[in-house]
Amino acid sequence: MDKAEAKEKIAELVAKYKKLGEKETKAFNEANTKQAFILPLFKVLGWDIYDTNEVALEEAASSGRVDFAFKINGVARLYTEAKKLGVDLNNPEFIKQAVTYAYSKGVTWAILTNFTEIRLLNAQRSQPFITLGYDDYLNSFEK
């Protein structure tokens, strides 16, 4: 998939999200959010979401399980903690969870997302590196 096709697919995901009413958004649980929005987004970004050597689901980390481990050459390089649509990602427990999972396994980068927003966190410093809202996905495609 080339860059133009990827942007088109992301635009479709954003449009799908924008069509949801408040009641529909609240009805989405975490699993549905992952299936309908988060995994398709990462697929568009070039990850083979069906290859467990590249994207592992529910990988053991710290005292729990991280939703996704994104791997390069079979080694986890990015952990992603997913939450359901509409959840406030400012919740300190969510941030701590994402960072702890990554830090405990020596993974530098962690993502916390509910699709509405993506936060790339540096787990070594416990600080946000990039924060993007769904309206930024196309304009900030290179990030």
Side-chain angles (χ1 to χ4, degrees):
M1 177 178 319
D2 67 19
K3 194 183 292 189
E5 289 173 309
K7 285 184 171 185
E8 185 178 316
K9 294 287 185 190
I10 290 172
E12 289 171 11
L13 279 171
V14 169
K16 177 181 169 181
Y17 171 73
K18 286 182 173 181
K19 283 183 187 176
L20 295 175
E22 186 178 334
K23 186 177 179 181
E24 293 170 300
T25 300
K26 287 183 178 181
F28 263 80
N29 62 25
E30 184 178 307
N32 292 338
T33 300
K34 289 189 274 191
Q35 181 181 2
F37 293 102
I38 296 171
L39 280 173
L41 177 63
F42 281 102
K43 182 178 181 187
V44 168
L45 294 175
W47 292 94
D48 184 348
I49 61 171
Y50 304 109
D51 182 352
T52 56
N53 290 317
E54 194 166 323
V55 181
L57 307 177
E58 297 291 326
E59 187 165 286
S62 185
S63 60
R65 301 182 94 47
V66 67
D67 291 306
F68 308 109
F70 290 88
K71 301 178 177 186
I72 298 173
N73 297 323
V75 178
R77 300 293 182 195
L78 170 70
Y79 276 177
T80 298
E81 183 58 29
K83 300 298 177 192
K84 69 180 191 168
L85 289 178
V87 166
D88 183 2
L89 297 184
N90 289 316
N91 182 328
E93 287 302 312
F94 295 161
I95 297 166
K96 180 181 175 186
Q97 181 183 28
V99 168
T100 300
Y101 284 161
Y103 185 81
S104 72
K105 291 289 194 164
V107 175
T108 302
W109 300 102
I111 285 180
L112 177 60
T113 186
N114 59 3
F115 181 78
T116 311
E117 184 179 349
I118 292 176
R119 293 184 181 186
L120 177 64
L121 307 163
N122 183 306
Q124 313 307 324
R125 297 192 179 106
S126 242
Q127 294 178 342
F129 187 73
I130 296 172
T131 299
L132 297 173
Y134 67 90
D135 283 331
D136 299 321
Y137 293 169
L138 290 175
N139 296 335
S140 300
F141 182 80
E142 297 301 322
K143 285 185 180 179

